[in-house]
């Protein structure tokens, strides 16, 4: 590989042998041939090691996988085995978690517009509901028997993309502080507080400020109502590094920082320690996933731009188009070859904005090469679409040189099966 550091972005088990990229002991080109492309390859060892990093950095905490990052029964089964719970926000995500064998008491229920069925099912299985409005408090209390937290919006601006900030003033999520106080006044049986700063956080600042804020808020509630949170849920948000130019934090650094700050801040306010819940999504699954594409047309568009076109794009990974997310790539079948020039990796969709990578240095790509894009395990398949009637890719799990399909590839027949033609033939 031209720059061995690039391998740092890949799953724990990555290696290069005889010019071939290996994931979980399997050759990427073999995986591409066997399962077709695009395909998202998940490394089991990395999934497990990320889960363990959370449990080790926050002993005794409930670590609830943010299912929306990649709803997958197999992935949630692995996390359940490791002792994790799940954070879900729809009836669909709840079903994924339950079918993976997640115990109800390890489930945390979110959503800023929870449907009745979600509340009913959540109460039935003994999950912890995170209230998102005063109106919801009344619905939950009317149903009876619910365990719940109050989600509060501290008014802190996270340094992340606008679309994934959640704790600022005017956020559509959570209760503004005065409403959260009112919720606790009405419902002192609430078990605790929840806060989620935002996603793809690449700095500690906002997260630590939030922890201090929540301790002060808890002190105010104790003073007002003699109420103290038994549970504090700090949400998710640890960012992933997608290109070498982005900063990198380990789970250990981030979580120990948060846990230490929470203990200090609660101690300072004279509050008893609370049970901690964390809800990581992206940081559990993003680096475990690598998307493999097959190179098609290679086309010089101008003196400055040569397109390498792949057999997927914004349908399997909308993040570049939605958030200007950056990625890098390697040619899996010539992983140790020197790059010749910088290329633009374009998808196959009918949009000029369907560009996966603005600029990446590669050895001259040719039709049929396999392009591997690392750090694509989170919010890719989860946000995929069938735009241009392109069926969604498969996901496979690799471990010890063996690969198993964990989500089968969608087919054009799957898409056609939903259609209801009118009249005629
Ligand atoms: C999205 C979300 C998470 C997971 O966020 P990541 O950035 O993927 O870690 C956790 N909690 C809540 C409430 C969320 O909305």
């Amino acid at each position: 590989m031209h720059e061995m550091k690039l391998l740092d972005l890949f799953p724990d088990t990555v290696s290069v042998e005889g010019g071939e990229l290996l994931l979980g002991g399997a050759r990427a080109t073999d995986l591409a041939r066997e399962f077709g492309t695009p395909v998202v390859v998940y490394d089991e060892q990395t999934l497990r090691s990320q889960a363990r990093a959370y449990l080790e950095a926050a002993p005794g905490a409930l670590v609830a996988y943010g299912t929306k990052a990649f709803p997958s029964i197999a992935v949630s089964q692995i996390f359940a085995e490791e002792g994790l719970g799940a954070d879900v926000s729809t009836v669909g995500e709840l079903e994924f978690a339950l079918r993976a064998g997640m115990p109800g008491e390890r489930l945390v229920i979110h959503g800023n517009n929870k449907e009745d069925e979600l509340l009913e099912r959540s109460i039935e299985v003994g999950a912890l509901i995170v209230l998102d409005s005063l109106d919801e408090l009344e619905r939950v209390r009317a149903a009876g028997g619910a365990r719940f937290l109050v989600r509060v919006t501290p008014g802190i601006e996270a340094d992340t993309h606008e679309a994934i900030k959640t704790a600022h003033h005017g956020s559509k999520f959570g209760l503004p502080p005065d409403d959260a106080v009112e919720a606790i006044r009405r419902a002192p049986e609430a078990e605790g507080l929840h806060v989620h700063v935002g996603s793809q956080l690449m700095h500690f600042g906002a997260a630590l400020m939030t922890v201090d804020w929540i301790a002060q808020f808890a002190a105010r509630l104790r003073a007002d109502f003699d109420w103290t949170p038994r549970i504090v849920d700090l949400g998710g948000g640890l960012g992933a590094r997608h290109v070498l130019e982005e900063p990198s934090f380990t789970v250990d650094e981030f979580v120990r920082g948060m846990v230490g700050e929470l203990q200090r801040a609660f101690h300072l306010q004279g509050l008893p320690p609370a049970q901690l819940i964390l809800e990581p999504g992206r940081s559990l699954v993003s680096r475990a996933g690598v998307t493999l594409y097959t190179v098609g047309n290679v086309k010089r568009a101008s003196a400055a731009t040569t397109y390498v076109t792949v057999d997927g794009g914004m349908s399997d990974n909308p993040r570049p188009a939605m958030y200007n997310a950056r990625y890098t790539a390697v040619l899996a079948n010539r992983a140790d070859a020197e790059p010749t020039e910088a290329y633009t990796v374009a998808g196959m969709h009918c949009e000029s904005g369907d560009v996966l990578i603005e600029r990446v240095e590669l050895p001259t790509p040719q039709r049929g090469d396999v392009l591997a894009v690392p750090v694509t395990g989170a919010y890719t398949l989860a946000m995929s679409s069938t735009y241009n009637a392109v069926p969604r890719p498969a996901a496979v799990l690799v471990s010890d040189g063996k690969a198993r399909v964990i989500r089968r590839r969608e087919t054009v027949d799957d898409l056609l099966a939903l259609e209801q033609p009118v009249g005629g033939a």
Side-chain angles (χ1 to χ4, degrees), residues 29 32 37 293-298 308-309 331-334 365-371:
T29 49
T37 55
Y293 299 97
T294 300
V295 171
N297 280 328
V298 179
V308 178
T309 315
L331 285 184
N333 50 315
R334 278 181 282 141
Q366 286 157 15
R367 174 177 291 279
D369 281 342
V370 173
L371 190 80

PDB file of all heavy atoms in Angstrom, residues 29 32 37 293-298 308-309 331-334 365-371:
ATOM      1  N   THR A  29     -11.108  -9.180  -3.143  1.00  0.00           N
ATOM      2  CA  THR A  29     -11.521  -9.490  -4.517  1.00  0.00           C
ATOM      3  C   THR A  29     -12.339 -10.789  -4.569  1.00  0.00           C
ATOM      4  O   THR A  29     -13.259 -10.907  -5.377  1.00  0.00           O
ATOM      5  CB  THR A  29     -10.299  -9.602  -5.456  1.00  0.00           C
ATOM      6  OG1 THR A  29      -9.335 -10.462  -4.840  1.00  0.00           O
ATOM      7  CG2 THR A  29      -9.673  -8.247  -5.715  1.00  0.00           C
ATOM      8  N   ALA A  32     -15.783  -9.819  -3.451  1.00  0.00           N
ATOM      9  CA  ALA A  32     -16.485  -9.099  -4.528  1.00  0.00           C
ATOM     10  C   ALA A  32     -17.005 -10.098  -5.559  1.00  0.00           C
ATOM     11  O   ALA A  32     -18.127  -9.973  -6.053  1.00  0.00           O
ATOM     12  CB  ALA A  32     -15.543  -8.090  -5.178  1.00  0.00           C
ATOM     13  N   THR A  37     -20.926  -6.885  -6.329  1.00  0.00           N
ATOM     14  CA  THR A  37     -20.693  -5.545  -5.794  1.00  0.00           C
ATOM     15  C   THR A  37     -21.862  -4.643  -6.193  1.00  0.00           C
ATOM     16  O   THR A  37     -22.551  -4.953  -7.169  1.00  0.00           O
ATOM     17  CB  THR A  37     -19.375  -4.945  -6.355  1.00  0.00           C
ATOM     18  OG1 THR A  37     -19.418  -4.983  -7.778  1.00  0.00           O
ATOM     19  CG2 THR A  37     -18.159  -5.689  -5.824  1.00  0.00           C
ATOM     20  N   TYR A 293     -16.682  -1.825  -4.367  1.00  0.00           N
ATOM     21  CA  TYR A 293     -17.340  -1.487  -5.630  1.00  0.00           C
ATOM     22  C   TYR A 293     -16.500  -2.056  -6.767  1.00  0.00           C
ATOM     23  O   TYR A 293     -15.289  -2.276  -6.611  1.00  0.00           O
ATOM     24  CB  TYR A 293     -17.406   0.024  -5.840  1.00  0.00           C
ATOM     25  CG  TYR A 293     -18.177   0.814  -4.813  1.00  0.00           C
ATOM     26  CD1 TYR A 293     -17.518   1.439  -3.758  1.00  0.00           C
ATOM     27  CD2 TYR A 293     -19.558   0.972  -4.923  1.00  0.00           C
ATOM     28  CE1 TYR A 293     -18.220   2.206  -2.826  1.00  0.00           C
ATOM     29  CE2 TYR A 293     -20.266   1.741  -3.994  1.00  0.00           C
ATOM     30  CZ  TYR A 293     -19.591   2.346  -2.958  1.00  0.00           C
ATOM     31  OH  TYR A 293     -20.284   3.099  -2.040  1.00  0.00           O
ATOM     32  N   THR A 294     -17.116  -2.216  -7.928  1.00  0.00           N
ATOM     33  CA  THR A 294     -16.348  -2.556  -9.121  1.00  0.00           C
ATOM     34  C   THR A 294     -16.210  -1.303  -9.975  1.00  0.00           C
ATOM     35  O   THR A 294     -17.187  -0.570 -10.183  1.00  0.00           O
ATOM     36  CB  THR A 294     -17.039  -3.679  -9.927  1.00  0.00           C
ATOM     37  OG1 THR A 294     -17.138  -4.828  -9.077  1.00  0.00           O
ATOM     38  CG2 THR A 294     -16.229  -4.047 -11.166  1.00  0.00           C
ATOM     39  N   VAL A 295     -15.005  -1.074 -10.443  1.00  0.00           N
ATOM     40  CA  VAL A 295     -14.738   0.090 -11.278  1.00  0.00           C
ATOM     41  C   VAL A 295     -15.310  -0.145 -12.676  1.00  0.00           C
ATOM     42  O   VAL A 295     -15.139  -1.227 -13.252  1.00  0.00           O
ATOM     43  CB  VAL A 295     -13.211   0.351 -11.365  1.00  0.00           C
ATOM     44  CG1 VAL A 295     -12.889   1.414 -12.409  1.00  0.00           C
ATOM     45  CG2 VAL A 295     -12.662   0.745  -9.990  1.00  0.00           C
ATOM     46  N   GLY A 296     -16.012   0.862 -13.199  1.00  0.00           N
ATOM     47  CA  GLY A 296     -16.522   0.812 -14.572  1.00  0.00           C
ATOM     48  C   GLY A 296     -15.764   1.796 -15.435  1.00  0.00           C
ATOM     49  O   GLY A 296     -14.545   1.713 -15.564  1.00  0.00           O
ATOM     50  N   ASN A 297     -16.481   2.798 -15.944  1.00  0.00           N
ATOM     51  CA  ASN A 297     -15.840   3.796 -16.808  1.00  0.00           C
ATOM     52  C   ASN A 297     -14.794   4.606 -16.068  1.00  0.00           C
ATOM     53  O   ASN A 297     -15.008   5.020 -14.930  1.00  0.00           O
ATOM     54  CB  ASN A 297     -16.891   4.803 -17.314  1.00  0.00           C
ATOM     55  CG  ASN A 297     -17.673   4.235 -18.476  1.00  0.00           C
ATOM     56  OD1 ASN A 297     -17.124   3.453 -19.257  1.00  0.00           O
ATOM     57  ND2 ASN A 297     -18.933   4.611 -18.587  1.00  0.00           N
ATOM     58  N   VAL A 298     -13.674   4.832 -16.742  1.00  0.00           N
ATOM     59  CA  VAL A 298     -12.686   5.791 -16.252  1.00  0.00           C
ATOM     60  C   VAL A 298     -12.611   6.861 -17.337  1.00  0.00           C
ATOM     61  O   VAL A 298     -12.320   6.547 -18.497  1.00  0.00           O
ATOM     62  CB  VAL A 298     -11.314   5.120 -16.031  1.00  0.00           C
ATOM     63  CG1 VAL A 298     -10.289   6.137 -15.546  1.00  0.00           C
ATOM     64  CG2 VAL A 298     -11.444   3.959 -15.029  1.00  0.00           C
ATOM     65  N   VAL A 308     -13.537   8.164 -11.932  1.00  0.00           N
ATOM     66  CA  VAL A 308     -13.572   6.709 -11.834  1.00  0.00           C
ATOM     67  C   VAL A 308     -15.001   6.393 -11.430  1.00  0.00           C
ATOM     68  O   VAL A 308     -15.450   6.816 -10.363  1.00  0.00           O
ATOM     69  CB  VAL A 308     -12.610   6.210 -10.735  1.00  0.00           C
ATOM     70  CG1 VAL A 308     -12.688   4.697 -10.618  1.00  0.00           C
ATOM     71  CG2 VAL A 308     -11.200   6.669 -11.016  1.00  0.00           C
ATOM     72  N   THR A 309     -15.738   5.709 -12.273  1.00  0.00           N
ATOM     73  CA  THR A 309     -17.147   5.467 -11.978  1.00  0.00           C
ATOM     74  C   THR A 309     -17.324   4.072 -11.401  1.00  0.00           C
ATOM     75  O   THR A 309     -16.741   3.109 -11.907  1.00  0.00           O
ATOM     76  CB  THR A 309     -17.997   5.626 -13.244  1.00  0.00           C
ATOM     77  OG1 THR A 309     -17.568   6.810 -13.911  1.00  0.00           O
ATOM     78  CG2 THR A 309     -19.462   5.742 -12.913  1.00  0.00           C
ATOM     79  N   LEU A 331      -7.431   0.532  -4.184  1.00  0.00           N
ATOM     80  CA  LEU A 331      -7.763  -0.540  -5.128  1.00  0.00           C
ATOM     81  C   LEU A 331      -7.401  -1.854  -4.451  1.00  0.00           C
ATOM     82  O   LEU A 331      -6.236  -2.103  -4.137  1.00  0.00           O
ATOM     83  CB  LEU A 331      -6.958  -0.391  -6.422  1.00  0.00           C
ATOM     84  CG  LEU A 331      -7.397   0.714  -7.381  1.00  0.00           C
ATOM     85  CD1 LEU A 331      -6.565   0.662  -8.660  1.00  0.00           C
ATOM     86  CD2 LEU A 331      -8.888   0.625  -7.708  1.00  0.00           C
ATOM     87  N   ALA A 332      -8.424  -2.674  -4.201  1.00  0.00           N
ATOM     88  CA  ALA A 332      -8.219  -3.881  -3.399  1.00  0.00           C
ATOM     89  C   ALA A 332      -7.313  -4.896  -4.092  1.00  0.00           C
ATOM     90  O   ALA A 332      -6.641  -5.684  -3.433  1.00  0.00           O
ATOM     91  CB  ALA A 332      -9.573  -4.521  -3.089  1.00  0.00           C
ATOM     92  N   ASN A 333      -7.290  -4.854  -5.415  1.00  0.00           N
ATOM     93  CA  ASN A 333      -6.494  -5.851  -6.146  1.00  0.00           C
ATOM     94  C   ASN A 333      -5.088  -5.348  -6.478  1.00  0.00           C
ATOM     95  O   ASN A 333      -4.288  -6.077  -7.049  1.00  0.00           O
ATOM     96  CB  ASN A 333      -7.216  -6.300  -7.430  1.00  0.00           C
ATOM     97  CG  ASN A 333      -7.699  -5.128  -8.266  1.00  0.00           C
ATOM     98  OD1 ASN A 333      -8.272  -4.175  -7.729  1.00  0.00           O
ATOM     99  ND2 ASN A 333      -7.486  -5.183  -9.565  1.00  0.00           N
ATOM    100  N   ARG A 334      -4.793  -4.093  -6.137  1.00  0.00           N
ATOM    101  CA  ARG A 334      -3.431  -3.564  -6.302  1.00  0.00           C
ATOM    102  C   ARG A 334      -3.122  -2.656  -5.118  1.00  0.00           C
ATOM    103  O   ARG A 334      -2.727  -1.502  -5.267  1.00  0.00           O
ATOM    104  CB  ARG A 334      -3.313  -2.802  -7.622  1.00  0.00           C
ATOM    105  CG  ARG A 334      -3.083  -3.734  -8.807  1.00  0.00           C
ATOM    106  CD  ARG A 334      -2.943  -2.975 -10.105  1.00  0.00           C
ATOM    107  NE  ARG A 334      -4.222  -2.541 -10.617  1.00  0.00           N
ATOM    108  CZ  ARG A 334      -4.436  -1.364 -11.199  1.00  0.00           C
ATOM    109  NH1 ARG A 334      -3.458  -0.473 -11.300  1.00  0.00           N
ATOM    110  NH2 ARG A 334      -5.625  -1.047 -11.660  1.00  0.00           N
ATOM    111  N   PRO A 365      -6.685   3.372 -12.298  1.00  0.00           N
ATOM    112  CA  PRO A 365      -7.756   2.384 -12.184  1.00  0.00           C
ATOM    113  C   PRO A 365      -8.197   1.890 -13.557  1.00  0.00           C
ATOM    114  O   PRO A 365      -8.150   2.638 -14.540  1.00  0.00           O
ATOM    115  CB  PRO A 365      -8.895   3.161 -11.515  1.00  0.00           C
ATOM    116  CG  PRO A 365      -8.339   4.493 -11.154  1.00  0.00           C
ATOM    117  CD  PRO A 365      -7.155   4.732 -12.023  1.00  0.00           C
ATOM    118  N   GLN A 366      -8.609   0.648 -13.596  1.00  0.00           N
ATOM    119  CA  GLN A 366      -9.110   0.062 -14.834  1.00  0.00           C
ATOM    120  C   GLN A 366     -10.440  -0.615 -14.582  1.00  0.00           C
ATOM    121  O   GLN A 366     -10.687  -1.088 -13.466  1.00  0.00           O
ATOM    122  CB  GLN A 366      -8.119  -0.992 -15.352  1.00  0.00           C
ATOM    123  CG  GLN A 366      -6.876  -0.362 -15.949  1.00  0.00           C
ATOM    124  CD  GLN A 366      -5.702  -1.318 -15.951  1.00  0.00           C
ATOM    125  OE1 GLN A 366      -5.883  -2.529 -15.768  1.00  0.00           O
ATOM    126  NE2 GLN A 366      -4.510  -0.794 -16.140  1.00  0.00           N
ATOM    127  N   ARG A 367     -11.246  -0.687 -15.637  1.00  0.00           N
ATOM    128  CA  ARG A 367     -12.530  -1.396 -15.542  1.00  0.00           C
ATOM    129  C   ARG A 367     -12.298  -2.773 -14.926  1.00  0.00           C
ATOM    130  O   ARG A 367     -11.378  -3.488 -15.320  1.00  0.00           O
ATOM    131  CB  ARG A 367     -13.124  -1.540 -16.947  1.00  0.00           C
ATOM    132  CG  ARG A 367     -14.386  -2.369 -17.032  1.00  0.00           C
ATOM    133  CD  ARG A 367     -14.938  -2.393 -18.441  1.00  0.00           C
ATOM    134  NE  ARG A 367     -15.447  -1.069 -18.811  1.00  0.00           N
ATOM    135  CZ  ARG A 367     -16.655  -0.611 -18.447  1.00  0.00           C
ATOM    136  NH1 ARG A 367     -17.482  -1.363 -17.755  1.00  0.00           N
ATOM    137  NH2 ARG A 367     -17.035   0.591 -18.798  1.00  0.00           N
ATOM    138  N   GLY A 368     -13.115  -3.120 -13.935  1.00  0.00           N
ATOM    139  CA  GLY A 368     -12.997  -4.442 -13.310  1.00  0.00           C
ATOM    140  C   GLY A 368     -12.199  -4.437 -12.021  1.00  0.00           C
ATOM    141  O   GLY A 368     -12.265  -5.402 -11.251  1.00  0.00           O
ATOM    142  N   ASP A 369     -11.437  -3.358 -11.773  1.00  0.00           N
ATOM    143  CA  ASP A 369     -10.745  -3.262 -10.484  1.00  0.00           C
ATOM    144  C   ASP A 369     -11.778  -3.203  -9.357  1.00  0.00           C
ATOM    145  O   ASP A 369     -12.916  -2.752  -9.569  1.00  0.00           O
ATOM    146  CB  ASP A 369      -9.893  -1.988 -10.418  1.00  0.00           C
ATOM    147  CG  ASP A 369      -8.574  -2.117 -11.168  1.00  0.00           C
ATOM    148  OD1 ASP A 369      -8.149  -3.258 -11.445  1.00  0.00           O
ATOM    149  OD2 ASP A 369      -7.974  -1.070 -11.485  1.00  0.00           O
ATOM    150  N   VAL A 370     -11.352  -3.621  -8.162  1.00  0.00           N
ATOM    151  CA  VAL A 370     -12.246  -3.530  -7.002  1.00  0.00           C
ATOM    152  C   VAL A 370     -11.786  -2.375  -6.124  1.00  0.00           C
ATOM    153  O   VAL A 370     -10.629  -2.341  -5.687  1.00  0.00           O
ATOM    154  CB  VAL A 370     -12.262  -4.857  -6.204  1.00  0.00           C
ATOM    155  CG1 VAL A 370     -13.055  -4.697  -4.905  1.00  0.00           C
ATOM    156  CG2 VAL A 370     -12.862  -5.974  -7.059  1.00  0.00           C
ATOM    157  N   LEU A 371     -12.685  -1.427  -5.927  1.00  0.00           N
ATOM    158  CA  LEU A 371     -12.379  -0.247  -5.119  1.00  0.00           C
ATOM    159  C   LEU A 371     -12.962  -0.456  -3.718  1.00  0.00           C
ATOM    160  O   LEU A 371     -14.151  -0.745  -3.572  1.00  0.00           O
ATOM    161  CB  LEU A 371     -12.998   0.997  -5.761  1.00  0.00           C
ATOM    162  CG  LEU A 371     -12.559   2.328  -5.165  1.00  0.00           C
ATOM    163  CD1 LEU A 371     -11.179   2.725  -5.710  1.00  0.00           C
ATOM    164  CD2 LEU A 371     -13.576   3.428  -5.464  1.00  0.00           C
TER     165      LEU A 371
END
